[in-house]
Amino acid sequence: MKRLLFLFFLAFLLVQTSFAQQTTPPFLQNPNQRWVDSVFNSLTADERIAQLIMVAAHGYPNNPSRVIIDTTFTNPRVVAKYIRDYKVGGVIFFQGGPVQQAQLTNYYQSISKVPLLVAMDSEWGLAMRLDSSVRFPYQMTMGAIQGNDELIYKMGKLLAAQKRRLGVHINFAPSVDVNNNANNPVINFRSFGENPQKVYEKSYAYMKGMQDGGILSSLKHFPGHGDTGVDSHYDLPVIPHNRARLDSVELYPFRKLIEQGADGIMMAHLAIPVLDTAKNVPSTLSKPIVTGLLRDQLKFNGLIYSDAMNMKGLTKYFPNGLGDAKGLEAGMDVLEFSPNVPAAIAEIKKAVAEGRISQAEIDARVKKVLAAKAWVGLDKFAPIKTQNLIEDINDKQSELINRQLTENALTVLKNNDNILPIKDLDKVSIASISLTDAPAITTVTKDGVIALGTRNETAFTGELTTFQKTLSLYTNIDHYVIHPKTPDSLQGSIRAALKSYDIVLVGAHLNNIRPGTNYGITPTTAAWVKELAANGNSVITVFGNAYALNKLQDIGKAKGLIMAYQLTPFTEELSAQLIFGAIPAKGKLPVSVNPQFPYGAGIETPALGRLKYTIPEEVGLDSKWLSFKIDSIANNAIALKAAPSMVVQLAKDGKVFYRKSYGSLIPNEGATNLSTSGIGGLYDFASVTKIAASTLALAKLHSEGKFNLDGTMKDYLPFLKKSNKANLVWRQVLTHQAGLKAFINFWRDCRKPNGQWKPRTFRWGKEAHGAYTVQITDSLWLHKKYHHKLFASLKNSALNEKKEYVYSDLSFMLYPQVVKNLTSVEFEDYLKSNVYRKIGANSLTFNPLRFNKLSQIAPTERDTFFRQTLVHGRVHDEAAAMLNGVSGHAGLFGNANDLMKVTQLFLQKGSYGGELFISEKTMNEFTRYQFPESRRGIGFDKPSRVYNGNAPKSASPQSYGHTGFTGIMIWNDPAYNLNYVFLSNRVYPTRDNNKLSSLNVRTAIMQVVYDGLGIK
């Protein structure tokens, strides 16, 4: 029996110990008691009172346009006086810049007898108060996230690190108010939503992240500010609910978080009759609420903070320090933003003298505050180092978390006919229209513009929104922008133009998120949303508060509807990526908007395997290091004139993490340096045409059973039946070891010994003349039938004596005929209709001047021996030029992004955008080594079996790619899911420039990625 009682008692102790560990705030678990006692014993009675006071500070006392709070008591001179003369315990910063705040903090700390607790309201990051700092999503945005609360935890921990770097010890966050009042003027988007359990779960993740990062948190606003239509900054709100309702809704998150070790709670200025019947006494000053409910009933033993003591909800009835004294009497520990320190101390001393609060109670609270100071490291205080401060608090991991939080929050509310994600890019015409409340930053027309028809020009315009620029990464889109000052006549023409599109992608850019401003909805935006929603072809993305849906009439009629929750570069980028299926939709509404859009509404949509655009950190690389390494290689190459311009694009796991251009696209002609906004320049792919055109077409035909690698050349090219090439096997031909000559200088065969052109070959002239209709340059024309002679020459060419590896262009000149013979479709038409348009690779084209301005195309060579001019906008390769610019070995132009769509299709075993173009079996066959003595796949190059520099040193044997004579390289590595596109025009001004190869630029850049990933 005794043993049984002992075991029962032991179990009881274990449970109690566990409970105590669970509920005791971290700062009270192992305090530096020696330091606490030493500091406490050094304080006078008045100084102990002052330790419970936190004054407000900010960094713009002399700039009225930046002031958002009353400066009477926040001027640095006044704050310094409070610290030096009255020994206040802390400061809370409201606005400024990081360096300025750090300097002020160092100064304030240097004149303080006891190190100061420094606090900030940073619910959505330091940017809530400071410029040049990180803005995280609003809590309501994060409320839409389903699961993945570990992201919120990481955000809290990152924010803690930023605060510690800035010398801040307390974040007055998270807001655990359950917002169930759409018209709440003060909480609203600051809440995780209306579900108490979800509010608790997400608040816990946020709180725990900060605690684990060494920062004090403060849950707010107790007992719950979520169901009020009055802003306590201006008046005293009344919460009329009964106790059962408060327990189940408002108090629920607080209770659960206290059980999980909450370290701080901020009181709200609320009147709650069911908890305290005293008239006009805010909960901040209510002993039944602060002590009776929070301390005694809920067993909270952490720090209790007031909300700002200058708010009208309190000072309206308790001015001039009365509120401060009443607050301590009620049971609070820290008086935040006490506006008049001398008056507050006087009133508190009076309360002690009159016995309304004892000195022992004051002392106990001071020791608790000192324990908190010790926990955040103030027992070993060191000044803040301002060097690299802004860079340090703007870390890339925070951007990554920002992106991940946003991606998981985006919510699809309408998806009629599964319009999202958009498929069949080749079958739909698409326009976008951004509805903003301000003109574009740049204007290009006299009437203040704003209709932009920018097909194929999106990379070269500065007027588009981030949303529109990102949409343009996926396919051809015509863009328009509307703002309140757009002339009615222009609006009318845009309205008429939009009727011709199959899909209209609408961005409602709401630049205010508060209900008092109608959520930033202008009459112009409201009218356009109503009209476009009714058209039956619109997908509307609302970049604003979820409650704004109820203010946008008929928005529910839209074919597709996406709620992005706020307007940031991340919501704009990722909403566009969701629309095209680069990312899935997973979010759910965290609040009830109306019967059509209730709590929990949200339609999941899949990812389709299109390229996603992100930052290096998402794939495990360091942005700063990566940029430094690649910039060093590329800028050195530009400086050494290895090429006038370059574009580097890199992806891993289908995520484009690096896109950058270097140099000048049009050298010596007044062009400015390229940047990411000009990254859409078109380049001559040269021999990469063999992969992005010929091999692509043959692989597709092989996958369909129409092309046999072990068949012979005569099988698909009957004109070769009586030639020495009739029985050459395609497998050997495509691996460059069938005996074909490397190339034939066809153009040289057209010249007489005296340098003049032979009859029926070329003719100089400004215009086509007679049969001379194949344009080579602006003034050189080829006879329209000369291609027959060219192919005859190819047919009759000798074979090498030995069948060994000799890289040859000749067979690739014939693949357009193979494709036409097998499909009855011209080569370019086949590629565009069967692949390029379907995957949105619309810049890929032969003869690009048909569709693009010369200023968008990189020039190649100043040809002094054949064409006698600068080759610009036309194919560099002479044989391809003589084939009217269309050949299987050269002639394809395009930008890096569209080329990467093709290479990503290869990397994804033949699929892209939810469509299978080539079977996995075919892709495996084409990309493997074909023969022991060769490094070639079918069409593709592969790493040399003995390293010779043709591929990055760390490239796996599974990798494959190709290079182009003009300075191009593509390389895929399935072992690490890497995709690399490098474009340049190294042949400008002359092909004799081999520095790109001698400097090893192309492979060195990709090797940086392997190094960054730790791949040897």
Side-chain angles (χ1 to χ4, degrees):
M1 184 66 179
K2 288 183 179 180
R3 177 177 174 79
L4 191 61
L5 287 172
F6 172 78
L7 291 173
F8 176 82
F9 181 70
L10 181 62
F12 176 79
L13 284 178
L14 289 172
V15 169
Q16 290 300 102
T17 302
S18 174
F19 181 77
Q21 290 175 342
Q22 181 186 34
T23 58
T24 301
F27 78 91
L28 291 176
Q29 290 181 16
N30 295 292
N32 183 347
Q33 199 60 48
R34 178 178 294 181
W35 184 85
V36 170
D37 292 340
S38 173
V39 173
F40 176 81
N41 292 331
S42 72
L43 300 174
T44 67
D46 284 6
E47 290 171 351
R48 292 175 189 176
I49 291 172
Q51 281 296 301
L52 307 181
I53 294 176
M54 181 176 284
V55 294
H58 66 77
Y60 291 98
N62 299 317
N63 186 352
S65 67
R66 296 297 302 271
V67 171
I68 60 172
I69 55 176
D70 182 3
T71 60
T72 306
F73 301 108
T74 59
N75 186 289
R77 293 178 183 176
V78 176
V79 174
K81 180 177 177 62
Y82 288 161
I83 294 169
R84 184 185 292 110
D85 296 350
Y86 294 94
K87 312 297 188 294
V88 295
V91 295
I92 174 172
F93 281 95
F94 278 90
Q95 63 187 110
V99 174
Q100 187 182 39
Q101 178 170 311
Q103 292 169 339
L104 280 172
T105 300
N106 283 340
Y107 170 64
Y108 292 152
Q109 294 284 19
S110 73
I111 63 173
S112 182
K113 177 177 179 178
V114 179
L116 299 160
L117 269 180
V118 180
M120 290 179 71
D121 279 298
S122 305
E123 297 165 25
W124 52 89
L126 295 176
M128 181 173 171
R129 298 300 185 196
L130 300 180
D131 60 35
S132 308
S133 56
V134 174
R135 173 181 293 272
F136 288 111
Y138 296 133
Q139 288 187 199
M140 188 167 288
T141 304
M142 293 187 286
I145 297 172
Q146 303 302 297
N148 281 328
D149 288 345
E150 68 274 8
L151 293 175
I152 301 174
Y153 169 86
K154 290 178 181 178
M155 182 204 73
K157 198 166 183 180
L158 285 166
L159 179 53
Q162 293 165 10
K163 282 183 170 289
R164 290 182 68 86
R165 179 67 180 86
L166 191 61
V168 178
H169 314 111
I170 306 171
N171 187 16
F172 287 131
S175 170
V176 304
D177 304 294
V178 180
N179 200 88
N180 42 33
N181 186 330
N183 297 315
N184 192 323
V186 64
I187 303 301
N188 204 288
F189 61 91
R190 297 165 64 192
S191 165
F192 284 115
E194 68 180 45
N195 183 311
Q197 176 65 23
K198 294 296 183 183
V199 169
Y200 152 64
E201 292 171 1
K202 295 178 186 300
S203 297
Y204 173 69
Y206 191 170
M207 177 189 80
K208 190 70 167 64
M210 289 191 292
Q211 288 179 342
D212 288 353
I215 288 292
L216 296 164
S217 66
S218 175
L219 314 178
K220 61 188 187 184
H221 306 81
F222 189 86
H225 211 316
D227 191 6
T228 175
V230 175
D231 187 342
S232 53
H233 289 84
Y234 306 108
D235 207 340
L236 182 62
V238 178
I239 306 296
H241 302 305
N242 61 36
R243 181 57 188 269
R245 153 62 192 259
L246 292 175
D247 282 340
S248 62
V249 179
E250 280 77 10
L251 293 174
Y252 180 85
F254 289 101
R255 180 186 298 108
K256 297 287 288 184
L257 290 163
I258 289 168
E259 292 173 2
Q260 296 293 338
D263 55 299
I265 289 179
M266 176 183 283
M267 299 300 302
H269 303 313
L270 302 170
I272 310 172
V274 74
L275 299 178
D276 188 345
T277 58
K279 190 175 181 181
N280 295 328
V281 175
S283 47
T284 326
L285 311 185
S286 168
K287 192 163 188 176
I289 295 176
V290 179
T291 298
L293 175 59
L294 183 53
R295 285 281 186 224
D296 298 340
Q297 294 180 36
L298 299 183
K299 307 298 182 187
F300 178 65
N301 59 353
L303 287 169
I304 300 178
Y305 306 92
S306 72
D307 204 344
M309 297 298 287
N310 72 325
M311 290 166 63
K312 299 299 183 183
L314 183 144
T315 59
K316 182 177 181 179
Y317 301 104
F318 297 91
N320 303 322
L322 288 174
D324 300 87
K326 284 287 187 182
L328 291 186
E329 291 175 41
M332 288 195 299
D333 297 307
V334 178
L335 304 170
E336 182 245 317
F337 199 161
S338 182
N340 190 329
V341 171
I345 292 177
E347 287 294 336
I348 294 167
K349 289 173 66 177
K350 182 179 177 182
V352 173
E354 294 176 356
R356 299 196 303 273
I357 183 171
S358 68
Q359 187 62 47
E361 290 176 288
I362 297 289
D363 291 350
R365 295 173 196 179
V366 172
K367 289 183 177 180
K368 189 187 294 184
V369 168
L370 292 174
K373 289 187 175 186
W375 185 80
V376 296
L378 287 172
D379 56 345
K380 302 176 185 67
F381 170 75
I384 307 158
K385 295 179 180 179
T386 56
Q387 186 177 7
N388 300 324
L389 176 60
I390 291 178
E391 181 180 0
D392 291 346
I393 64 173
N394 285 276
D395 56 297
K396 279 292 183 177
Q397 285 300 319
S398 292
E399 181 179 342
L400 174 60
I401 289 297
N402 244 322
R403 289 177 172 277
Q404 292 172 330
L405 289 166
T406 300
E407 179 179 337
N408 281 274
L410 296 175
T411 305
V412 172
L413 295 171
K414 292 288 296 296
N415 195 20
N416 294 354
D417 300 326
N418 290 318
I419 191 172
L420 297 172
I422 295 176
K423 309 172 190 68
D424 301 323
L425 300 183
D426 58 323
K427 297 177 182 177
V428 291
S429 58
I430 306 174
S432 84
I433 179 167
S434 280
L435 309 172
T436 73
D437 68 352
I441 294 173
T442 352
T443 57
V444 292
T445 65
K446 293 179 181 179
D447 59 7
V449 82
I450 296 290
L452 300 171
T454 56
R455 185 181 298 278
N456 285 333
E457 298 180 35
T458 56
F460 297 87
T461 59
E463 294 79 11
L464 304 180
T465 62
T466 299
F467 176 58
Q468 292 173 309
K469 290 176 183 176
T470 310
L471 290 172
S472 288
L473 294 173
Y474 291 97
T475 191
N476 277 347
I477 299 176
D478 290 342
H479 299 294
Y480 305 88
V481 179
I482 292 287
H483 62 86
K485 294 184 180 180
T486 303
D488 290 343
S489 59
L490 192 52
Q491 292 192 44
S493 62
I494 294 173
R495 188 175 286 109
L498 291 177
K499 293 179 181 179
S500 64
Y501 294 94
D502 299 308
I503 299 174
V504 177
L505 303 175
V506 184
H509 301 257
L510 309 183
N511 284 313
N512 200 305
I513 204 162
R514 300 179 185 277
T517 64
N518 198 37
Y519 303 107
I521 302 170
T522 65
T524 301
T525 295
W528 271 92
V529 165
K530 180 179 179 180
E531 178 178 339
L532 292 168
N535 286 346
N537 65 344
S538 64
V539 175
I540 301 176
T541 304
V542 178
F543 299 105
N545 196 314
Y547 291 122
L549 293 170
N550 202 40
K551 303 289 185 178
L552 291 165
Q553 189 176 355
D554 292 342
I555 194 169
K557 293 181 180 179
K559 193 166 188 178
L561 178 60
I562 301 167
M563 170 46 61
Y565 298 100
Q566 56 189 105
L567 178 60
T568 72
F570 304 123
T571 58
E572 291 193 73
E573 284 184 31
L574 289 160
S575 293
Q577 296 192 45
L578 182 153
I579 286 170
F580 283 103
I583 61 173
K586 296 183 279 190
K588 308 283 184 184
L589 275 182
V591 292
S592 298
V593 175
N594 54 34
Q596 188 176 15
F597 303 119
Y599 170 84
I603 302 166
E604 294 185 8
T605 62
L608 293 181
R610 290 196 178 116
L611 288 172
K612 178 184 181 181
Y613 300 86
T614 185
I615 58 174
E617 280 69 17
E618 187 165 343
V619 298
L621 290 162
D622 179 86
S623 291
K624 185 177 178 181
W625 178 87
L626 187 74
S627 293
F628 172 77
K629 299 292 283 188
I630 295 178
D631 284 356
S632 297
I633 297 168
N635 288 327
N636 181 60
I638 294 290
L640 294 174
K641 298 186 177 180
S645 67
M646 302 174 188
V647 178
V648 176
Q649 184 156 325
L650 289 153
K652 185 180 188 305
D653 304 326
K655 300 169 184 176
V656 178
F657 62 85
Y658 198 90
R659 299 179 69 232
K660 194 168 184 178
S661 53
Y662 301 85
S664 183
L665 187 70
I666 314 293
N668 304 321
E669 296 188 19
T672 57
N673 284 348
L674 291 173
S675 64
T676 51
S677 63
I679 206 165
L682 273 66
Y683 286 77
D684 182 337
F685 292 165
S687 284
V688 168
T689 302
K690 295 180 174 76
I691 300 302
S694 295
T695 302
L696 172 64
L698 294 179
K700 183 170 176 57
L701 292 168
H702 178 274
S703 179
E704 295 166 355
K706 297 176 181 176
F707 180 76
N708 180 7
L709 285 171
D710 295 312
T712 61
M713 293 189 78
K714 68 177 184 298
D715 295 337
Y716 307 122
L717 293 170
F719 84 98
L720 295 178
K721 280 184 179 179
K722 294 183 179 180
S723 75
N724 57 2
K725 300 169 185 65
N727 294 314
L728 297 184
V729 177
W730 286 112
R731 189 181 298 274
Q732 293 184 326
V733 171
L734 281 158
T735 52
H736 302 278
Q737 56 185 50
L740 294 175
K741 296 291 185 183
F743 62 93
I744 299 172
N745 273 322
F746 297 104
W747 72 272
R748 290 187 185 277
D749 293 339
C750 299
R751 270 207 170 141
K752 298 177 183 178
N754 64 2
Q756 293 182 348
W757 299 120
K758 294 178 181 178
R760 298 172 64 83
T761 58
F762 290 102
R763 182 182 186 277
W764 295 102
K766 292 186 178 180
E767 296 179 352
H769 181 78
Y772 295 88
T773 58
V774 178
Q775 189 169 18
I776 305 299
T777 70
D778 289 348
S779 56
L780 182 62
W781 304 80
L782 177 66
H783 194 283
K784 65 182 180 180
K785 293 186 178 181
Y786 186 81
H787 66 279
H788 296 301
K789 188 172 182 179
L790 185 151
F791 286 122
S793 178
L794 192 156
K795 173 184 176 181
N796 297 324
S797 64
L799 295 175
N800 295 321
E801 293 181 9
K802 218 174 158 186
K803 283 194 177 180
E804 58 185 4
Y805 174 73
V806 175
Y807 181 78
S808 173
D809 283 348
L810 299 188
S811 76
F812 282 87
M813 296 180 192
L814 300 172
Y815 295 132
Q817 292 187 45
V818 172
V819 171
K820 185 175 181 180
N821 289 342
L822 291 174
T823 67
S824 300
V825 179
E826 294 291 344
F827 186 54
E828 182 175 17
D829 292 339
Y830 176 83
L831 289 164
K832 288 184 174 180
S833 61
N834 285 278
V835 184
Y836 296 163
R837 293 191 187 109
K838 287 177 177 288
I839 66 174
N842 297 295
S843 74
L844 302 190
T845 188
F846 296 87
N847 296 312
L849 284 176
R850 294 175 295 167
F851 313 107
N852 301 273
K853 295 178 181 177
L854 194 64
S855 60
Q856 297 168 356
I857 307 170
T860 51
E861 185 175 16
R862 293 191 180 278
D863 186 347
T864 59
F865 47 87
F866 168 31
R867 286 159 285 198
Q868 306 297 318
T869 188
L870 172 66
V871 181
H872 189 187
R874 295 188 173 92
V875 61
H876 175 263
D877 182 89
E878 297 90 345
M882 295 172 71
L883 291 168
N884 204 15
V886 181
S887 179
H889 78 291
L892 190 64
F893 285 70
N895 63 41
N897 191 53
D898 284 351
L899 179 55
M900 182 167 274
K901 292 171 187 175
V902 174
T903 54
Q904 189 64 29
L905 182 156
F906 293 145
L907 193 59
Q908 291 174 176
K909 301 295 185 181
S911 70
Y912 190 85
E915 185 172 350
L916 183 67
F917 294 88
I918 303 167
S919 71
E920 181 175 349
K921 183 178 179 181
T922 292
M923 283 308 310
N924 289 338
E925 180 63 25
F926 272 53
T927 58
R928 73 174 179 86
Y929 289 111
Q930 290 294 311
F931 301 104
E933 67 277 11
S934 170
R935 75 173 197 233
R936 290 281 170 171
I938 301 298
F940 294 100
D941 195 7
K942 291 181 66 63
S944 177
R945 296 176 188 272
V946 177
Y947 180 69
N948 68 359
N950 79 306
K953 192 169 185 179
S954 298
S956 76
Q958 291 90 356
S959 68
Y960 56 88
H962 213 280
T963 55
F965 186 78
T966 51
I968 313 296
M969 184 175 190
I970 57 172
W971 204 264
N972 283 352
D973 196 334
Y976 308 108
N977 220 5
L978 292 174
N979 186 344
Y980 172 47
V981 170
F982 177 94
L983 305 182
S984 80
N985 53 337
R986 68 98 193 163
V987 294
Y988 180 91
T990 171
R991 70 182 65 197
D992 295 332
N993 178 11
N994 292 313
K995 292 179 182 177
L996 197 74
S997 295
S998 63
L999 292 170
N1000 199 30
V1001 173
R1002 289 176 283 191
T1003 55
I1005 286 175
M1006 191 177 186
Q1007 183 60 42
V1008 170
V1009 179
Y1010 288 104
D1011 294 342
L1013 293 171
I1015 298 167
K1016 302 299 183 183

